[in-house]
Amino acid sequence: MSDILVHTEAGVCTLTFNRPDKKNSITAAMYGALADALQAAEADASVRCVVFQGVETVFTAGNDIGDFLNNPPASHDSPVFRFLRGIAQFPKPVIAAVCGPAVGIGTTLLFHCDLVYAGDNAAFSMPFVNLGLCPEAASSLLVPQMLGYHRAAEALLLGEPFMAEAALEVGLVNRVLPPTEAAGYAQSVARKLAAKPISSLIETKRLMKKGQSQQVMATMAEEGQSFGRMLSEPAAREAFTAFMERRKPDFSQL
């Protein structure tokens, strides 16, 4: 069974993280599948809306560390960067249903969604600093814009989880629901959007985002350069080695 499920029905394309035994951690192949699915959904005139979802206990634990170390993003056209550009520039409405942990990219992708519905068990975290890395997906721009600088600094510098109610308070999510209801609610909203004129949806989204679209892409590119450089530096090597060895990293000499 595919680690990314793609299902299109009644104008709604649903992309499901389907690797629950690995907490839906994302491999390079999965990023490629997501990028391809977004490209196909953009080209398909019958698709009016895209929904991202995981399962009731986990959205995604972020990058699969083993796969990430074996297949690091080596170029602008790496699967992860294709996916990030794809979701950042996707012209149609994007909804996410988030339950359980949403780690790293599991949180940063939400800043490119138009509507987010969370289970009350959702836990959002961006632990890039803890891995000796820097933010990605233009989150260094978008997180301060949404959360305000001090809350963004808390989220990005400490990298600690914040829960669904806190995400609701700062506007990252639209509504908090029981985990058993989040995906169904997201689908009901997607069906409402799918019944509306697609030209109006696309133009309204374009107008809302036009003021920052170029800045988002420029920030994403700059982050990507820094991320790639930092990936080979001592702090990241220590963080990933410690993760694989199941110990606490020691940054005292770095």
Side-chain angles (χ1 to χ4, degrees):
M1 185 176 293
S2 174
D3 291 338
I4 298 294
L5 300 181
V6 182
H7 177 74
T8 301
E9 182 178 354
V12 179
C13 176
T14 302
L15 306 179
T16 304
F17 296 113
N18 185 47
R19 204 181 176 216
D21 57 318
K22 298 294 185 180
K23 298 183 180 180
N24 287 342
S25 57
I26 309 174
T27 63
M30 291 167 70
Y31 279 122
L34 290 168
D36 291 344
L38 286 176
Q39 187 175 27
E42 180 176 351
D44 187 344
S46 70
V47 172
R48 305 295 186 93
C49 180
V50 167
V51 177
F52 284 89
Q53 64 181 21
V55 294
E56 292 175 7
T57 55
V58 60
F59 185 59
T60 171
N63 285 324
D64 180 298
I65 297 298
D67 181 82
F68 185 71
L69 293 176
N70 290 327
N71 300 285
S75 74
H76 188 64
D77 292 322
S78 296
V80 61
F81 293 132
R82 286 183 55 228
F83 166 67
L84 291 177
R85 290 196 302 274
I87 191 171
Q89 297 177 316
F90 194 74
K92 303 174 186 179
V94 180
I95 299 175
V98 183
C99 296
V103 180
I105 188 69
T107 291
T108 59
L109 75 84
L110 303 176
F111 290 89
H112 300 283
C113 294
D114 303 292
L115 298 164
V116 181
Y117 301 103
D120 58 23
N121 64 340
F124 307 89
S125 61
M126 295 173 284
F128 304 111
V129 166
N130 301 340
L131 293 172
L133 299 170
C134 67
E136 36 84 313
S139 54
S140 62
L141 169 71
L142 299 174
V143 176
Q145 283 184 353
M146 180 173 288
L147 275 62
Y149 180 83
H150 289 105
R151 283 177 168 172
E154 186 173 50
L156 288 170
L157 296 180
L158 290 174
E160 295 174 352
F162 56 98
M163 304 307 289
E165 289 297 336
L168 179 66
E169 180 186 352
V170 298
L172 178 59
V173 305
N174 295 85
R175 181 170 297 195
V176 177
L177 302 144
T180 54
E181 298 177 14
Y185 190 87
Q187 289 291 328
S188 70
V189 174
R191 289 193 294 272
K192 287 182 182 179
L193 289 172
K196 299 181 186 295
I198 187 62
S199 59
S200 294
L201 293 173
I202 290 174
E203 186 63 7
T204 300
K205 178 171 177 174
R206 185 191 72 81
L207 289 167
M208 287 194 292
K209 286 183 171 284
K210 71 172 184 176
Q212 66 175 19
S213 58
Q214 289 185 341
Q215 193 176 9
V216 164
M217 299 312 295
T219 301
M220 196 177 288
E222 183 178 0
E223 289 173 345
Q225 290 180 342
S226 295
F227 195 99
R229 171 179 53 79
M230 297 180 77
L231 193 57
S232 62
E233 293 179 348
R237 290 202 300 269
E238 166 61 15
F240 286 118
T241 299
F243 180 87
M244 301 304 288
E245 294 176 354
R246 300 181 182 276
R247 61 173 174 83
K248 186 176 180 179
D250 179 7
F251 299 122
S252 61
Q253 304 301 315
L254 301 176

